[in-house]
Amino acid sequence: MIMFGKLTAVGVGPGDPELLTLKAVKRINEADVIACPAKEGTTGVAYRIAEQVCPELACKETLLLDFPMKKEGLAEAHRKAAEEIISVLRTGKDIVFLTLGDPCVYSTFSYVSDIVEENGYEVEIINGIPSFCAVFARLKIPVVLGDESVIITSGEYIDHNGTLIIMKAGGHLKELKEKIDTAGKDIYLVENCGMADEKVYAGIADIPDRSGYFSILIIKDKTKEM
């Protein structure tokens, strides 16, 4: 009887390799094959983060998956990646799919895993520290307190009383800054949180009109004095 392999998503966190969980490291070390998004035919950011605490990666088989950075062709890319993964799982090998942050937050993995599961293969998810949690820790401020509410969007501004977290904000900063009502708000931008080239901006005037892909914009009600 042929035993099929299992697909496991491992969140490597936002950038600092020391933020990988013990369970993440264990799963990576146990895997037969490491799957990860490719960048120009080479391993991407998630792989480079993981290899700093898992040197065993260099000895493992690697499955590079190509995902375009635009909506056109994404569905086909997801289907193709799932097919490549399934072809490996059929041989009985276990795959770890490395993903930045947490696999459940704006992650390509969800699209791929749906197809893999629909074809009858086992899938597991190992959570990672979400990038926005790391950003708040870097800023040393709470995400929410008391009865405050929080909204998380992908590049979209929503007028909101509480905390608004805008992920993937880098390419939309000029338009976002024009829409933001700054009255009573604290505004921050963190680019490449936890990475060597991390940048932190505080206040609307300090924030540039454009930054890198891994940028998170925080718009938060000013803390009320008790």
Side-chain angles (χ1 to χ4, degrees), residues 4-220:
F4 296 135
K6 180 173 74 172
L7 173 64
T8 301
V10 169
V12 302
D16 182 349
E18 292 185 350
L19 292 181
L20 266 79
T21 65
L22 293 174
K23 194 168 188 177
V25 172
K26 183 173 184 287
R27 287 293 189 277
I28 291 170
N29 289 336
E30 292 173 343
D32 299 306
V33 179
I34 302 297
C36 61
K39 184 174 182 180
E40 298 177 351
T42 61
T43 54
V45 178
Y47 186 98
R48 293 198 296 274
I49 293 169
E51 70 179 346
Q52 295 177 63
V53 289
C54 300
E56 295 85 354
L57 279 181
C59 302
K60 293 183 180 290
E61 180 182 344
T62 305
L63 180 62
L64 298 180
L65 303 171
D66 188 27
F67 301 106
M69 296 295 287
K70 53 186 179 181
K71 292 182 179 180
E72 294 79 7
L74 261 181
E76 177 61 21
H78 295 152
R79 183 195 61 76
K80 183 179 178 183
E83 289 177 351
E84 291 182 55
I85 287 170
I86 288 171
S87 68
V88 174
L89 296 177
R90 282 177 180 155
T91 69
K93 294 180 179 179
D94 291 328
I95 299 175
V96 156
F97 186 113
L98 299 178
T99 180
L100 281 169
D102 185 281
C104 299
V105 181
Y106 292 125
S107 173
T108 298
F109 178 78
S110 296
Y111 301 102
V112 175
S113 66
D114 284 348
I115 300 171
V116 172
E117 280 197 297
E118 286 170 3
N119 281 271
Y121 295 89
E122 185 181 358
V123 173
E124 181 185 15
I125 294 176
I126 307 300
N127 296 108
I129 293 177
S131 56
F132 63 86
C133 287
V135 162
F136 279 92
R138 173 66 178 81
L139 296 171
K140 292 186 278 193
I141 58 175
V143 180
V144 285
L145 287 173
D147 59 356
E148 292 176 336
S149 60
V150 59
I151 291 178
I152 303 172
T153 76
S154 177
E156 179 184 5
Y157 174 73
I158 297 175
D159 192 16
H160 172 65
N161 292 324
T163 299
L164 175 63
I165 301 168
I166 305 179
M167 301 180 69
K168 305 178 184 179
H172 310 279
L173 287 174
K174 190 174 188 298
E175 308 95 281
L176 288 169
K177 290 195 310 180
E178 293 171 353
K179 295 178 180 178
I180 295 172
D181 180 0
T182 60
K185 304 288 184 179
D186 287 325
I187 302 167
Y188 306 92
L189 177 75
V190 179
E191 180 181 4
N192 298 330
C193 184
M195 301 181 190
D197 53 352
E198 174 187 275
K199 295 178 183 176
V200 178
Y201 304 90
I204 196 81
D206 191 37
I207 293 173
D209 288 343
R210 192 173 184 85
S211 63
Y213 180 76
F214 302 117
S215 296
I216 296 180
L217 186 65
I218 305 295
I219 304 157
K220 184 174 175 61

